[in-house]
Amino acid sequence: NAGVTQTPKFRVLKTGQSMTLLCAQDMNHEYMYWYRQDPGMGLRLIHYSVGEGTTAKGEVPDGYNVSRLKKQNFLLGLESAAPSQTSVYFCASSYRTGLGYTFGSGTRLTVV
Amino acid sequence: ELKVEQNPLFLSMQEGKNYTIYCNYSTTSDRLYWYRQDPGKSLESLFVLLSNGAVKQEGRLMASLDTKARLSTLHITAAVHDLSATYFCAVEKDYKLSFGAGTTVTVRA
């Protein structure tokens, strides 16, 4: 049982490049989330999804887009990367009833 | 907007002594979580607190929740080196988590 798998684990982008981060979960969770973690700021919610085909904005959505075409996958896209998007990105998932979130291992993204 | 404040942000502990981390939040919540994060790693769930007066203990860690004061505490008893990590509280509202900034704990001999 893999839980929540994030790919890639590390990436270096040049300013203006685009990329997609993939989050896959095998627990049949309804809810999925993308967070970014920056020093001294904890984790901040970027976007989330409450079910297949649905997405919603979180606290810091600007510069990111997401899609959830399949229940098990949640994609985070950066259309034109900026140095301010240098961060560690965590995906998480949970059942509709909450009571526990499973986090992925993170993606460390550097934009130069 | 739900705000979560943790203090202190940095905590240097001496082995064998007791310490407390505080987590205040600004609005009513559904649940409160405590997580541990080691450098370069993901978040490890420590406790989930569901209701007012809830207290949970695991080893040297004990977490409590006072929903009326909107305050949770994480108490560390007789600190040991293995407890060095960053600890986050997170408040759940409408199935979304809002995190505190984290408390970086270093335990020294």
Side-chain angles (χ1 to χ4, degrees), chain B residues 5-107:
Chain B
E5 292 187 357
Q6 268 182 256
N7 66 84
L9 298 183
F10 299 94
L11 188 51
S12 179
M13 300 185 182
Q14 188 172 353
E15 279 187 340
K17 293 195 174 180
N18 303 332
Y19 298 87
T20 301
I21 300 171
Y22 298 89
C23 176
N24 290 91
Y25 53 99
S26 60
T27 67
T28 57
S29 71
D30 299 318
R31 301 178 186 94
L32 191 137
Y33 297 77
W34 283 97
Y35 290 94
R36 168 183 171 140
Q37 185 181 40
D38 293 302
K41 301 295 186 181
S42 187
L43 280 74
E44 173 190 353
S45 180
L46 295 174
F47 303 108
V48 180
L49 302 170
L50 304 181
S51 59
N52 189 46
V55 177
K56 289 196 174 181
Q57 183 163 5
E58 180 73 31
R60 300 176 186 275
L61 302 178
M62 183 176 71
S64 64
L65 178 63
D66 181 345
T67 57
K68 294 180 181 179
R70 297 177 187 161
L71 171 68
S72 180
T73 60
L74 181 65
H75 188 72
I76 299 170
T77 302
V80 293
H81 180 73
D82 285 353
L83 293 179
S84 294
T86 298
Y87 294 84
F88 292 95
C89 66
V91 178
E92 182 183 56
K93 183 74 173 176
D94 299 330
Y95 303 115
K96 299 187 294 291
L97 290 178
S98 296
F99 284 81
T103 298
T104 299
V105 168
T106 304
V107 181

Side-chain angles (χ1 to χ4, degrees), chain A residues 2-110:
Chain A
V4 176
T5 302
Q6 291 183 232
T7 53
K9 296 190 184 308
F10 302 93
R11 185 73 184 269
V12 178
L13 281 181
K14 294 183 179 180
T15 297
Q17 288 184 321
S18 63
M19 79 163 294
T20 300
L21 282 67
L22 171 63
C23 176
Q25 52 95 3
D26 60 3
M27 297 168 287
N28 203 33
H29 283 171
E30 290 87 359
Y31 294 175
M32 296 187 74
Y33 310 83
W34 277 106
Y35 288 89
R36 60 177 288 173
Q37 182 179 22
D38 302 293
M41 302 186 74
L43 279 75
R44 293 180 292 168
L45 182 63
I46 305 171
H47 285 282
Y48 63 101
S49 169
V50 299
E52 181 178 319
T54 73
T55 63
K57 294 181 179 179
E59 180 185 354
V60 288
D62 294 342
Y64 305 95
N65 56 75
V66 287
S67 64
R68 193 162 177 207
L69 299 179
K70 293 183 178 180
K71 185 177 183 178
Q72 64 267 33
N73 295 337
F74 195 28
L75 279 65
L76 178 70
L78 287 73
E79 288 189 352
S80 179
S84 61
Q85 294 177 304
T86 293
S87 188
V88 180
Y89 292 85
F90 285 99
C91 177
S93 68
S94 73
Y95 288 111
R96 184 180 294 118
T97 55
L99 281 181
Y101 296 75
T102 303
F103 283 83
S105 59
T107 296
R108 187 172 297 274
L109 175 66
T110 303

